[in-house]
Amino acid sequence: MRKAILAGFNLSKHDAEFQQYIEECIQLAKANHIDVIDVMIQKGRSLDPKSVFRYGKLMELADRARELDVDCIIFYNELSIVQLERIQQECQCPVIDRTNLILDIFSSRSKTKIAKLQTEMARIKYSLPRILKQEYGVGNQRGGSANNRGAGESRLELVKRNIRFQLTDLKKQIQVLKKHQALQDQSRKHNPLKKIALVGYTNAGKSSLMNAILKKNQRSKEKMVFQKDMLFATLDTTVRNIQLGHHQEALLFDTVGFVSNLPHLLIEAFQSTLKAACDADVLIHVMDASNSQLELQREVTMETLRQIQADHIPIIHVYNKMDLVKDASLFDGLCISAIHQEGIDALLDQVSKILYPNEFDFECLIPYKELSILQFYRKVCRIVKLAEKEDGIQYHVSGSFQVVKGLYPYRCKEENIHQEYH
Ligand SMILES: Nc1nc2c(ncn2[C@@H]2O[C@H](COP(=O)(O)OP(=O)(O)OP(=O)(O)O)[C@@H](O)[C@H]2O)c(=O)[nH]1
Ligand SMILES: [Mg+2]
């Protein structure tokens, strides 16, 4: 693991809030296999336009970097090329910023072709000023031979042209994939199955909850998704078929986690992987109840949902990791533990109620000589055989109240459909 100092200039008024961003940045570094061994913060109304930190603090940072023999310095603030070069020069140490960290995570872990291409495009755009600045240093040297099309152009022009080609090529490839994706979305739209999307801050436990639901559904291990204590463990959407209640099938989507201040260059890549969330019939907002930054994470999630125009979709707020929380009474909502499989039934019940608001289900016993009555009901509601009894067959029925009420006289004694209805 590489070692680093994390530096940040606090322009915001609240130290506690800034501290939370710093903690998150440490986790982002960890996800990039970088161990932050020291943190240095300067606070003020405006940062130094040339070096972010003011001179005295910058020298302190340089000394500290030397003393700790770190491999790099990470800046929380997004750096301009001028700032980056100046800090690098003064500290004699490689410097990266938070945007760089997030880009590296996306680059190394995106799996789908479109996510890879979009990340590549973001990376080129991010590096563009840096490359051009480098080239400018050797600019105006003649490049290419007389036979080349580039003959007579400055090296800088050649580099610019090359990058333009790369970007156009990437854009074309992305457009083709987007068209293909649109067709898939269209066929998914025609899929009669309801869609449920797990959304929430990164590391909240979305993938663990997906696995918990799959486990409840007794799905095989191969169907399980990747879960890990690491920011952005999931970068691409995964979809699985699940059974909600008796015979209610649905599609469950696991999505990329949200993060505060997502670099603007990555927004497009991020949004296209979040398409599943925008098309869902219901969202399950997973929160890490044990996290000290819960409120901030909740706000970021709600704001991101607004940005991707998914805030009109019915949403169930779920507090996860309750096994790590001492006082559950502090949480006013559905409390679960994905890891310990607790609260999953209650959650699926709520999902069912939202997706099928007029649905009722109960168990009934149909006497053998009256079984023909089911011929009609099989066409209009869902009927699952449970057991053969002495005096008839026991079924679980579900469907809209208007339909299933005809079977109500056959209900098993402990069932009471009217109670559910009111
Ligand atoms: N103690 C405890 N840990 C949990 C629970 N649910 C998830 N975790 C842990 O939280 C970490 C993150 O879980 P993930 O399911 O990967 O989280 P995620 O929301 O999918 O994260 P990203 O894919 O990065 O957005 C893992 O180490 C899980 O083991 C829980 O109920 N209790
Ligand atoms: Mg995940």
Side-chain angles (χ1 to χ4, degrees):
M1 205 131 159
R2 286 178 292 158
K3 287 185 296 177
I5 297 182
L6 174 60
F9 195 97
N10 179 8
L11 281 163
S12 92
K13 290 187 190 94
H14 308 289
D15 287 351
E17 192 182 325
F18 191 72
Q19 193 54 40
Q20 291 178 0
Y21 291 130
I22 289 293
E23 297 288 335
E24 187 177 278
C25 204
I26 294 175
Q27 293 306 316
L28 286 170
K30 198 171 136 203
N32 259 319
H33 311 289
I34 303 176
D35 188 17
V36 172
I37 56 171
D38 199 7
V39 177
M40 203 174 265
I41 291 169
Q42 185 165 46
K43 196 177 173 185
R45 286 218 184 126
S46 61
L47 44 79
D48 190 309
K50 289 205 182 99
S51 56
V52 183
F53 276 1
R54 299 204 194 89
Y55 192 70
K57 194 75 178 175
L58 187 62
M59 290 302 100
E60 212 182 298
L61 178 64
D63 287 345
R64 199 87 183 111
R66 228 180 344 265
E67 205 179 299
L68 295 175
D69 190 24
V70 292
D71 300 292
C72 65
I73 295 170
I74 302 169
F75 255 82
Y76 167 75
N77 314 73
E78 191 163 320
L79 301 176
S80 69
I81 178 70
V82 174
Q83 291 165 339
L84 183 113
E85 282 189 344
R86 172 85 192 275
I87 301 165
Q88 234 159 221
Q89 197 180 8
E90 295 293 349
C91 298
Q92 292 294 302
C93 179
V95 175
I96 54 176
D97 61 13
R98 181 177 180 273
T99 305
N100 222 171
L101 285 180
I102 299 181
L103 269 171
D104 282 349
I105 297 175
F106 273 67
S107 289
S108 60
R109 294 214 227 110
S110 295
K111 286 201 190 75
T112 57
K113 184 125 193 252
I114 189 156
K116 274 182 194 291
L117 292 173
Q118 276 172 325
T119 311
E120 175 65 11
M121 190 141 95
R123 176 173 283 289
I124 292 178
K125 284 184 181 167
Y126 175 75
S127 326
L128 196 59
R130 287 152 181 79
I131 297 169
L132 294 183
K133 180 87 195 319
Q134 250 174 22
E135 290 301 327
Y136 197 68
V138 286
N140 295 331
Q141 290 170 5
R142 297 283 163 186
S145 72
N147 298 330
N148 278 350
R149 278 183 66 200
E153 285 177 309
S154 72
R155 186 186 155 98
L156 184 62
E157 282 307 316
L158 270 177
V159 171
K160 272 189 192 168
R161 199 147 66 91
N162 211 350
I163 292 173
R164 254 200 315 271
F165 274 147
Q166 275 186 47
L167 286 176
T168 317
D169 185 46
L170 282 170
K171 242 186 231 162
K172 272 188 200 151
Q173 290 189 55
I174 290 169
Q175 264 162 8
V176 171
L177 288 175
K178 271 191 173 166
K179 268 190 198 149
H180 186 64
Q181 210 174 42
L183 285 175
Q184 278 181 336
D185 289 346
Q186 208 55 34
S187 69
R188 208 177 270 152
K189 267 195 190 119
H190 293 306
N191 190 328
L193 296 184
K194 299 277 187 190
K195 296 175 239 358
I196 308 157
L198 295 159
V199 294
Y201 212 81
T202 175
N203 217 42
K206 300 175 291 301
S207 303
S208 307
L209 177 54
M210 178 148 191
N211 288 338
I213 294 172
L214 292 173
K215 212 164 160 189
K216 252 233 139 34
N217 273 229
Q218 296 172 338
R219 302 299 292 275
S220 60
K221 280 224 166 87
E222 301 87 72
K223 290 282 170 198
M224 302 283 163
V225 293
F226 180 60
Q227 62 180 71
K228 194 175 174 187
D229 187 13
M230 170 172 72
L231 302 195
F232 294 124
T234 307
L235 280 180
D236 301 297
T237 307
T238 320
V239 58
R240 297 281 184 269
N241 267 73
I242 60 155
Q243 194 95 32
L244 271 179
H246 289 268
H247 239 60
Q248 288 171 344
E249 246 188 84
L251 294 174
L252 180 65
F253 292 85
D254 183 21
T255 64
V256 58
F258 303 161
V259 73
S260 64
N261 307 320
L262 188 76
H264 66 280
L265 286 172
L266 271 174
I267 287 177
E268 208 183 321
F270 191 74
Q271 285 183 345
S272 75
T273 52
L274 278 172
K275 190 93 190 38
C278 304
D279 293 340
D281 298 293
V282 63
L283 300 175
I284 299 177
H285 171 202
V286 186
M287 289 174 282
D288 176 354
S290 70
N291 198 302
S292 59
Q293 299 156 40
L294 174 64
E295 261 321 297
L296 175 87
Q297 299 189 348
R298 188 188 168 103
E299 276 168 35
V300 170
T301 302
M302 298 315 286
E303 181 51 35
T304 312
L305 289 175
R306 266 191 290 279
Q307 281 169 8
I308 61 167
Q309 289 159 11
D311 52 336
H312 63 283
I313 302 171
I315 187 163
I316 302 171
H317 300 281
V318 176
Y319 293 100
N320 186 32
K321 307 197 189 181
M322 288 309 287
D323 52 298
L324 301 177
V325 170
K326 285 202 185 91
D327 190 359
S329 65
L330 295 172
F331 301 95
D332 182 18
L334 198 60
C335 296
I336 67 159
S337 168
I339 289 291
H340 295 277
Q341 293 278 126
E342 279 162 20
I344 311 295
D345 284 333
L347 169 63
L348 294 180
D349 236 36
Q350 274 207 24
V351 173
S352 276
K353 290 218 162 81
I354 290 179
L355 292 179
Y356 309 98
N358 299 315
E359 285 245 339
F360 294 91
D361 66 303
F362 56 94
E363 285 174 18
C364 59
L365 186 79
I366 314 281
Y368 287 108
K369 57 178 189 305
E370 291 179 51
L371 283 176
S372 58
I373 189 179
L374 292 180
Q375 268 179 10
F376 164 72
Y377 284 100
R378 282 192 200 284
K379 289 183 197 140
V380 288
C381 59
R382 285 175 295 279
I383 300 179
V384 181
K385 183 175 169 180
L386 297 178
E388 287 184 19
K389 303 271 172 149
E390 224 176 85
D391 42 356
I393 301 183
Q394 199 178 349
Y395 291 99
H396 181 275
V397 296
S398 55
S400 82
F401 179 70
Q402 288 311 320
V403 172
V404 294
K405 70 179 181 188
L407 288 173
Y408 182 60
Y410 299 98
R411 80 200 185 282
C412 295
K413 283 201 177 66
E414 62 274 20
E415 299 283 343
N416 190 339
I417 192 171
H418 287 309
Q419 235 170 27
E420 276 187 77
Y421 188 53
H422 293 293

